[in-house]
Amino acid sequence: MAQYEEVTVHGYEEFCKAVSERAGKEIFAYFSGNKDAQGKSWCPDCVKAEPIVRGEMSHLPEGSVFIYCQVGERAFWKDPSNDFKKTLKLSGVPTLLRYGTPQKLVEEECFKSDLVKMMFTED
Amino acid sequence: MATLCRVRHRWKRIKCAHVLTRSLTGKFDYDLVVIGGGSGGLACSKEAAQFGQRVAVLDYVEPSAKGTKWGLGGTCVNVGCIPKKLMHQAALLGTAVKDAKKYGWQISGPVCHDWATMAEAVQNHVRSLNWGHRVQLQDKKVKYLNMKGSLVDEHTVKGLTKAGKETILTAKNIVIATGGRPKYPTNIPGAIEYGLTSDDIFWLKKSPGKTLVVGASYVALECAGFLTGIGLDTTVMIRSIALRGFDQQMAGLVTDYMEAYGTKFVRKCVPKRVEKLSSGALQVTWSDINTGSEHKDTFDSVLWAVGRAPETKALGLDKLGVKLNKETGKIVLGADESTSVPNIFAFGDIGEGRPELTPTAIKAGKLLAQRLAGHSTQLMNYDNVATTVFTPLEYGCVGLSEEEAERRHGKDGIEIYHAFYKPLEFTVPERDASQCYLKVVCERGGDQKILGLHFTGPNAGEVTQGFSLGFQCGATYSHLLQTVGIHPTCAEELTKVNITKRSGLDATVTGC
């Protein structure tokens, strides 16, 4: 079982800070709509994808970082000027990406465990 | 007695049927194994998987002499069409910025180009395509192996990883779509140690600087074109003629434009050796073919664009008796992409006599997959394929060159309508349009069927694509006359062309 670091952040600034503190490491980031007090996200696709993504985390490479980032409330996400959309160029949630590369899985792609495993294991 | 014989024969027939069935199901790991994950290989494997076939594709990139390597997608995606067109666009934008002032844009000083910014953006786009292809294969249930494939026997492929691990796959059918790689000159000292090819140019992190491009192919001219366009001191060294195989009048217009716009040409010369100086620069010595005199100059980079060779060496083809063309080394193919071995097929750049183009490889691959799955008998039609050379002045064409049309129909059997025109966009910035030209080569009699159509000008690819549909449908000069142009465009000049070469009249279009 590979050793990886899981980091949980809320919002763009926290995300950027977490990344900059881990320069030189292989970083995977999973972006999800905020969870409410009961732990349920406003984004139904995120609710569906999370267990699938978590199910493949045992395949994460040794020494890598997995950042679980809650992007914000629904209204914040819907605004196209939010930093995730503008700067990080995210088009939807959930998004699973390998930071610093064009490799990403967006929305329904995150439902496919074989694609998630492929992202964690292939170059 | 007779009854007994009949029963015995019936039993034999039943036994045979069982043996036949057993050999068709479950004997092979895959229905189809494709060696090569480029334009052709990917199209073929994905199409086959759509029909429910069990498919595997092997893709492996042997690093270039300079150590450059890339991901899934083949030449087009990584070291061909895609990065080429993006860098061509970067260069065109440089020219546009210069024109912009005349159109009223206030641009303070000279605008310079940063290679690293362009290269990173281009390389990132290519990497996103590598990933896109990877996701597509997975999604379409095609098994992908990043391994160097070779043939063991007619139904067995060996895959070798970079680390040397072996995997054996058996397949009902095998398709070879390994394409080609740039050639290095064999007899020029320093060529391999110090030179680059198109495999390397798009992946450089730093600007190639003052560059010598050796060759006169479209690869050479397109690369020299965008290097000049982004502001680099660029020289093209040509041994004999430019764009061999293309219409030579059009080739001349392409190179004339490049020369007028700053690319230097050294003609009828061959490089003799490349040496590295203590400064790190490369000194190239070349000789003039006519006089024999030698010349030298220093460059930061030397780009060899002297042809491409098929990737067949490591495949093990001779062992299986797959017939190759002795001259070109490419695989000899039937019209259905079959090789001399019954269940082994090949197509794309690796095929003898095939165009080295992505769209033909993709289409041929899909049709092959359909035929192998038993869903079609349609063969690939390699005729009437339109192409475009993305030099600074783009050249688009479909059909025969003037020379070829003359060869087939005789000078008296053809009528050529032509025109020099000026794109409207060139007028305000006072740009020279001397090489913006078009010609339609037609049969002389009857409806004057169009045999070839040639166009140099901005967006030649976009212009030619539309006309290629007409060409495919057997368009005639009469059809062209009946077609009303869209105004104001460059393309409309094709619908208005009426001066023949035969008349000797001035073919310059006057204003509308």
Side-chain angles (χ1 to χ4, degrees):
Chain A
M1 186 92 132
Q3 281 285 83
Y4 59 84
E5 184 199 355
E6 180 168 350
V7 185
T8 304
V9 297
H10 284 74
Y12 188 72
E13 265 160 49
E14 267 186 44
F15 173 74
C16 292
K17 187 158 173 285
V19 166
S20 61
E21 284 169 355
R22 291 163 180 82
K25 294 204 167 181
E26 178 121 65
I27 300 174
F28 295 91
Y30 179 72
F31 300 90
S32 163
N34 274 19
K35 288 176 164 173
D36 59 20
Q38 281 76 49
K40 188 154 174 229
S41 174
W42 53 259
C43 158
D45 284 351
C46 301
V47 172
K48 185 169 173 186
E50 189 166 330
I52 296 165
V53 172
R54 289 205 171 274
E56 301 300 320
M57 277 169 73
S58 57
H59 296 290
L60 280 167
E62 182 86 38
S64 64
V65 179
F66 181 86
I67 302 180
Y68 182 90
C69 177
Q70 292 191 54
V71 299
E73 298 305 331
R74 179 186 240 123
F76 170 79
W77 178 252
K78 290 296 182 201
D79 181 356
S81 68
N82 76 63
D83 271 309
F84 288 108
K85 287 189 172 168
K86 233 177 51 185
T87 318
L88 214 48
K89 305 276 187 280
L90 295 191
S91 56
V93 277
T95 290
L96 175 67
L97 56 79
R98 190 190 217 117
Y99 191 78
T101 78
Q103 291 183 19
K104 62 169 144 183
L105 296 173
V106 182
E107 294 163 351
E108 318 84 61
E109 290 176 336
C110 298
F111 301 161
K112 300 179 183 168
S113 57
D114 56 341
L115 290 182
V116 176
K117 181 175 167 184
M118 187 175 89
M119 171 170 284
F120 290 160
T121 55
E122 277 184 26
D123 249 328
Chain B
M1 185 68 171
T3 330
L4 267 171
C5 288
R6 259 192 307 234
V7 169
R8 207 182 303 134
H9 284 304
R10 193 147 37 106
W11 174 238
K12 250 201 276 187
R13 272 204 302 279
I14 295 167
K15 251 187 32 189
C16 282
H18 279 156
V19 169
L20 197 60
T21 327
R22 211 186 317 135
S23 71
L24 283 178
T25 58
K27 181 177 175 183
F28 301 116
D29 299 325
Y30 294 95
D31 297 309
L32 183 67
V33 166
V34 179
I35 308 179
S39 303
L42 291 178
C44 183
S45 53
K46 287 190 288 197
E47 185 79 0
Q50 305 258 69
F51 290 112
Q53 302 247 299
R54 294 164 302 147
V55 189
V57 68
L58 285 81
D59 186 65
Y60 187 83
V61 180
E62 196 68 60
S64 73
K66 274 270 174 296
T68 312
K69 49 188 210 287
W70 49 87
L72 180 61
T75 297
C76 175
V77 164
N78 295 286
V79 286
C81 326
I82 303 294
K84 176 268 296 284
K85 187 89 191 285
L86 290 172
M87 293 199 175
H88 168 63
Q89 176 65 5
L92 288 178
L93 287 170
T95 313
V97 163
K98 291 196 185 91
D99 289 352
K101 280 196 180 145
K102 294 271 171 66
Y103 277 98
W105 288 98
Q106 321 272 16
I107 297 166
S108 44
V111 179
C112 340
H113 183 265
D114 175 55
W115 175 276
T117 307
M118 172 184 73
E120 201 192 313
V122 170
Q123 289 156 21
N124 269 344
H125 178 66
V126 170
R127 286 192 199 101
S128 74
L129 294 178
N130 298 142
W131 175 248
H133 279 304
R134 184 65 197 91
V135 169
Q136 271 212 322
L137 284 183
Q138 187 75 18
D139 233 20
K140 293 195 170 5
K141 312 261 182 289
V142 174
K143 177 96 183 146
Y144 162 67
L145 297 148
N146 184 206
M147 297 183 192
K148 198 168 167 91
S150 59
L151 299 173
V152 178
D153 64 46
E154 309 88 81
H155 290 286
T156 314
V157 172
K158 179 173 81 175
L160 209 56
T161 66
K162 193 170 75 174
K165 209 180 87 160
E166 252 184 48
T167 302
I168 302 286
L169 307 95
T170 57
K172 179 160 156 243
N173 287 310
I174 298 171
V175 172
I176 300 167
T178 48
R181 293 295 289 264
K183 280 191 214 176
Y184 268 95
T186 45
N187 55 344
I188 299 174
I192 302 175
E193 299 94 289
Y194 306 122
L196 307 167
T197 65
S198 57
D199 277 356
D200 310 297
I201 190 84
F202 304 110
W203 292 93
L204 296 177
K205 293 277 193 294
K206 287 194 338 219
S207 171
K210 178 178 173 189
T211 307
L212 173 68
V213 178
V214 181
S217 55
Y218 65 78
V219 174
L221 297 183
E222 286 175 344
C223 287
F226 72 69
L227 291 173
T228 307
I230 60 173
L232 299 176
D233 181 336
T234 311
T235 306
V236 178
M237 186 169 293
I238 299 183
R239 182 182 55 187
S240 62
I241 61 168
L243 295 177
R244 184 180 300 277
F246 285 86
D247 185 290
Q248 283 300 291
Q249 179 194 13
M250 306 308 289
L253 294 170
V254 165
T255 51
D256 285 348
Y257 183 95
M258 286 176 70
E259 228 165 340
Y261 275 75
T263 305
K264 293 179 248 186
F265 282 82
V266 173
R267 291 171 195 278
K268 302 261 191 291
C269 288
V270 284
K272 285 273 159 243
R273 61 184 173 278
V274 182
E275 291 154 307
K276 192 155 196 171
L277 303 174
S278 52
S279 62
L282 300 173
Q283 181 171 87
V284 180
T285 308
W286 68 87
S287 77
D288 182 309
I289 290 179
N290 291 329
T291 68
S293 56
E294 269 196 10
H295 305 265
K296 281 185 185 11
D297 196 359
T298 48
F299 300 92
D300 296 315
S301 306
V302 175
L303 178 67
W304 304 106
V306 295
R308 292 178 67 83
E311 271 288 270
T312 50
K313 288 182 291 317
L315 282 170
L317 297 177
D318 45 348
K319 194 169 38 160
L320 264 70
V322 175
K323 195 150 159 266
L324 302 178
N325 176 295
K326 283 190 180 51
E327 252 182 68
T328 63
K330 294 187 179 186
I331 304 179
V332 175
L333 300 178
D336 60 346
E337 332 297 356
S338 55
T339 67
S340 51
V341 178
N343 70 308
I344 300 182
F345 300 82
F347 71 97
D349 286 10
I350 201 90
E352 175 57 40
R354 300 287 190 248
E356 290 182 1
L357 298 168
T358 279
T360 51
I362 290 176
K363 196 149 197 205
K366 286 188 177 166
L367 290 174
L368 175 62
Q370 288 168 19
R371 292 194 304 269
L372 292 179
H375 278 252
S376 165
T377 51
Q378 197 191 345
L379 297 177
M380 174 65 191
N381 176 12
Y382 288 100
D383 293 330
N384 310 335
V385 175
T387 58
T388 294
V389 181
F390 293 100
T391 34
L393 182 70
E394 295 177 9
Y395 164 40
C397 60
V398 62
L400 306 178
S401 63
E402 187 175 330
E403 297 93 320
E404 186 58 32
E406 236 179 73
R407 242 191 309 270
R408 296 192 194 186
H409 300 263
K411 216 179 169 93
D412 289 335
I414 57 175
E415 191 77 88
I416 302 156
Y417 297 91
H418 69 152
F420 283 93
Y421 70 95
K422 185 164 190 167
L424 179 62
E425 294 82 353
F426 280 36
T427 55
V428 166
E430 293 164 315
R431 274 178 64 189
D432 184 7
S434 318
Q435 292 88 27
C436 292
Y437 177 81
L438 56 97
K439 69 180 171 186
V440 185
V441 181
C442 309
E443 279 177 358
R444 195 151 172 212
D447 281 327
Q448 301 196 294
K449 177 151 184 266
I450 300 176
L451 301 168
L453 189 145
H454 302 264
F455 175 91
T456 45
N459 308 301
E462 308 294 353
V463 169
T464 310
Q465 183 74 90
F467 284 93
S468 73
L469 170 60
F471 191 86
Q472 184 71 275
C473 297
T476 63
Y477 182 66
S478 313
H479 288 132
L480 204 50
L481 283 180
Q482 291 164 49
T483 309
V484 180
I486 300 172
H487 185 70
T489 62
C490 298
E492 66 173 307
E493 299 301 337
L494 278 161
T495 67
K496 290 151 62 183
V497 72
N498 59 89
I499 306 279
T500 61
K501 276 202 177 182
R502 181 166 275 117
S503 69
L505 296 169
D506 178 12
T508 309
V509 167
T510 49
C512 70

